[in-house]
Each structure stands twice: as C-alpha cells, then as structure tokens.
Amino acid sequence: MSTINDKKLHLLGILYSQEVHGYQLNQLLKHPANVIRIGKGNAYKLLAKLEEDGWVSHVEERQGNRPSRLIYSLTESGREAFMSLLREGLSQSQAFEYADGVALNFIGLLEPQEALLLLKEKQERLAERCAALSGFSDDIRASHPGLDFLIHQVFAEHAFLQNLIDRYQLKK
C-alpha cells in the first residue's frame, strides 16, 4: 500500500522534469505505467499541501478564449524535497500488502465450482492488465525499473492464478 510519501514522491517526480496543468497531470496519473494510483481529487489536495509546504507553485495561464488553467511547477525546495524522498524511498523497504490475498485465504469456504468461476473472472481481468502492460518496450522498461517491477508482478500473479485454477479444475 502506498504511503503519503510515495504519493508526494510521485507528484514531485512528475513535476521534476516538466511543468504541467491539471488536465495533463490527471492524464499522467491515469496512465497504466503508474505503479501507484492517485485519484484526481487526492492529487489536487496533495498539490495544495505541497504548495503550502513551498515545494510546488502555480501560475494561472489563459490562452485565447479558453478558460484559464493552473500550471504547476516545482520550486527549488521542492527539488530538494524530491531528492530526499527519492533517497529515502530507494533505501527503505515497505511490507508488501496484497488485498486480493484476503479473499484468496477464504476461497475454501466456497463450493469448488463457484470458486473456479470467480477465479476465471479474476484471471480475465488480470489478462487485460497484462495486455495493457505488454505494450511497453524493453527500452522503456529498462529506464523505468518501477514499471518493470510492476509488469513482473502482474505476470507472476497471472501465472499464480493459472496454477490455482488448474488445482481447482482437478477438484471438479
């Protein structure tokens, strides 16, 4: 499970290399390559907090007749905070949580046929995610180790589910 520092690191990392307006930020946060999820509302709350801390600033921009928009950028202290959070994140290890594991722990309480059907549904959804993540080139994966880790993790989960489905098919 991601921490507030993970989310700060993610937002600051996006802003480290580029200024973004709200729509761009939202698109970047929804991208399948993200290893953590930050909803639009939470992102804006966190941006406000980062701005309050002096790590992020914004300017209002207006182009032609379009509505004005806020352009967010990193301050110098934001760059320092990013580097500090980056070093902390790389040197620490968080306990891995797998929320789906809770349901898997109680799967034996279902009839095998129903469990098998539900596992197949789960695997179909996971296969869609595998397909989406398969589109990243080796170059992108090499330059984004967090994404590469996520891809390995999703494919390992898919393989695990196939093994579990095979075991349940033997119970039929």
Side-chain angles (χ1 to χ4, degrees), residues 17 19 23 27 33 39 48-49 56 61 65-66 71 73 86-87 101 117 119 123 125-126 130 137-138 140 142 167:
S17 60
E19 294 180 338
Y23 179 78
Q27 293 304 110
K49 173 70 173 120
V56 170
E61 178 185 86
N65 291 334
R66 301 177 101 177
I71 307 292
S73 61
L86 176 59
R87 288 180 178 102
L117 179 67
L119 288 172
Q123 190 181 42
R125 288 185 183 92
L126 196 55
C130 286
S137 70
D138 289 343
I140 290 183
R167 290 183 3 214

Side-chain angles (χ1 to χ4, degrees), residues 1-163:
M1 175 174 236
S2 60
T3 67
I4 189 69
N5 279 350
D6 295 325
K7 292 174 183 174
K8 286 179 181 180
L9 179 64
H10 191 61
L11 288 176
L12 294 173
I14 289 170
L15 295 172
Y16 194 87
S17 60
Q18 63 186 337
E19 294 180 338
V20 296
H21 58 75
Y23 179 78
Q24 287 173 312
L25 181 63
N26 191 40
Q27 293 304 110
L28 290 167
L29 292 174
K30 290 191 316 189
H31 196 275
N34 287 322
V35 294
I36 63 171
R37 300 283 176 229
I38 305 174
K40 185 178 178 179
N42 285 334
Y44 282 113
K45 285 180 192 172
L46 189 51
L47 275 173
K49 173 70 173 120
L50 295 173
E51 195 162 13
E52 187 179 300
D53 292 342
W55 296 355
V56 170
S57 63
H58 77 269
V59 294
E60 195 169 331
E61 178 185 86
R62 186 179 194 95
Q63 292 180 338
N65 291 334
R66 301 177 101 177
S68 63
R69 60 185 184 182
L70 301 180
I71 307 292
Y72 296 93
S73 61
L74 211 52
T75 64
E76 189 54 42
S77 62
R79 288 183 176 284
E80 292 170 12
F82 169 76
M83 295 307 281
S84 176
L85 288 170
L86 176 59
R87 288 180 178 102
E88 179 184 318
L90 287 173
S91 68
Q92 303 297 314
S93 177
Q94 296 178 30
F96 178 74
E97 289 186 22
Y98 179 62
D100 291 352
V102 175
L104 289 174
N105 281 339
F106 296 107
I107 196 169
L109 299 175
L110 297 173
E111 292 295 324
Q113 290 283 63
E114 183 181 8
L116 182 59
L117 179 67
L118 295 168
L119 288 172
K120 286 181 178 182
E121 284 180 34
K122 181 183 197 63
Q123 190 181 42
E124 284 177 28
R125 288 185 183 92
L126 196 55
E128 291 169 5
R129 188 145 188 236
C130 286
L133 291 171
S134 292
F136 292 101
S137 70
D138 289 343
D139 290 343
I140 290 183
R141 289 175 67 165
S143 63
H144 294 86
L147 170 62
D148 194 39
F149 177 77
L150 173 66
I151 292 169
H152 278 84
Q153 192 176 30
V154 170
F155 277 84
E157 182 180 3
H158 189 268
F160 170 81
L161 278 177
Q162 184 59 56
N163 183 284

